[in-house]
Amino acid sequence: MSVLLLQLAGPLQSWGATARFARRTTENAPTKSGVLGLLAAAQGRDRTADLTDLAALRFGVRVDQPGTRLRDYQTAQHADTGKSMPVSECFYLADAVFVAALEGDHELLSELHRALRRPVYTPYLGRRSCPPARPVELGLHTDRDLAQALAREPWHASKWYLRRLARRTDVRLTTLVEAAGPPARTDALRDVPLSFDPRHRRYALRGVVTGSVPAPAADRDIEPGRFPADPGPGPTGDSPASSFIPTVPDPRVSHHDPMPPLRGD
């Protein structure tokens, strides 16, 4: 078994497990169907292609930076008739960073790793309007399993987020790992893709175990005890929180991390 690690970071992400009419929500972390769709696109697979090999991969996510939930009202008109379509609500995660892991056959993961380096179709983070701001692939590992890979991979949060937590010694990062067996307690999520065919999309349920790991060393040079000046009140007049819980987004934080494309913060 091998493990392929991905970095999912961008100004906006949207990972919907359900969509009902004009309301399109997002989960708090990447879904298996969204990540496998990204990989299938990188390989150049057609939407009607067989997904059995991809669906068999075990999937897990680590929340390095939870981001902030945004709601966007969208309007549209029919291209032929000009008739106004219903107003829709789309939800996004802003300034979020995740590490995703896929465990399975080494040959398949090697092919996916090569495809991420030279993708046929541009990868995006759940929706086409959400391009990644950093390289997606983090490497292929043969010396660790999925849980070990999520625990050992450096912390990929943005500089401003790391500075806010630099004094803390008890930071833990939330993990959402696909159940390998029948553990005592799991959550069910319908995000295992059986078909991406637009005429009949189909998804199966999987069990998800929520846990946490101690925050590993960051992949950025942050000196303990050195913090940027307080940015002051944000656009709404609110001040940033004086304390910050790493696994819960704080809507009062006014920072925006643009994360320039193809380079670190």
Side-chain angles (χ1 to χ4, degrees), residues 226-237:
R226 297 191 63 180
F227 295 84
D230 192 306
T236 61

Side-chain angles (χ1 to χ4, degrees), residues 81-238:
T81 65
K83 181 180 178 181
S84 295
M85 306 296 287
V87 175
S88 63
E89 289 181 287
C90 292
F91 292 80
Y92 299 88
L93 298 175
D95 294 337
V97 181
F98 304 98
V99 171
L102 295 124
E103 181 184 65
D105 178 69
H106 177 74
E107 291 301 320
L108 174 58
L109 292 177
S110 296
E111 293 176 12
L112 295 174
H113 187 216
R114 289 191 294 269
L116 286 173
R117 289 175 172 269
R118 290 180 174 271
V120 176
Y121 299 114
T122 303
Y124 51 85
L125 306 179
R127 292 201 181 114
R128 291 188 181 89
S129 59
C130 303
R134 304 175 186 167
V136 173
E137 63 91 13
L138 286 175
L140 181 63
H141 300 276
T142 59
D143 61 342
R144 63 196 68 174
D145 61 20
L146 187 145
Q148 292 169 336
L150 291 177
R152 296 181 190 177
E153 180 63 22
W155 194 4
H156 291 281
S158 304
K159 280 186 177 181
W160 66 263
Y161 190 80
L162 294 172
R163 288 193 183 102
R164 283 185 172 274
L165 303 175
R167 294 184 186 275
R168 297 189 55 167
T169 59
D170 60 344
V171 178
R172 298 186 67 86
L173 306 180
T174 298
T175 58
L176 303 164
V177 177
E178 185 170 347
R185 183 175 182 180
T186 64
D187 297 313
L189 190 61
R190 189 177 294 277
D191 69 343
V192 180
L194 303 177
S195 173
F196 284 138
D197 189 335
R199 296 168 298 180
H200 188 202
R201 294 186 178 92
R202 293 182 296 127
Y203 303 91
L205 288 168
R206 68 182 175 104
V208 179
V209 179
T210 302
S212 65
V213 296
D219 67 343
R220 319 209 188 289
D221 184 17
I222 303 297
E223 298 181 39
R226 297 191 63 180
F227 295 84
D230 192 306
T236 61
D238 296 328

Side-chain angles (χ1 to χ4, degrees), residues 45-79:
R45 295 196 189 196
D46 188 85
R47 285 185 177 272
T48 59
D50 181 31
L51 301 173
T52 304
D53 56 344
L54 295 181
L57 296 171
R58 188 166 172 237
F59 178 68
V61 176
R62 191 183 74 194
V63 182
D64 281 23
Q65 185 173 317
T68 303
R69 185 178 292 265
L70 297 179
R71 180 173 62 177
D72 181 34
Y73 287 98
Q74 299 182 352
T75 60
Q77 288 186 324
H78 195 283

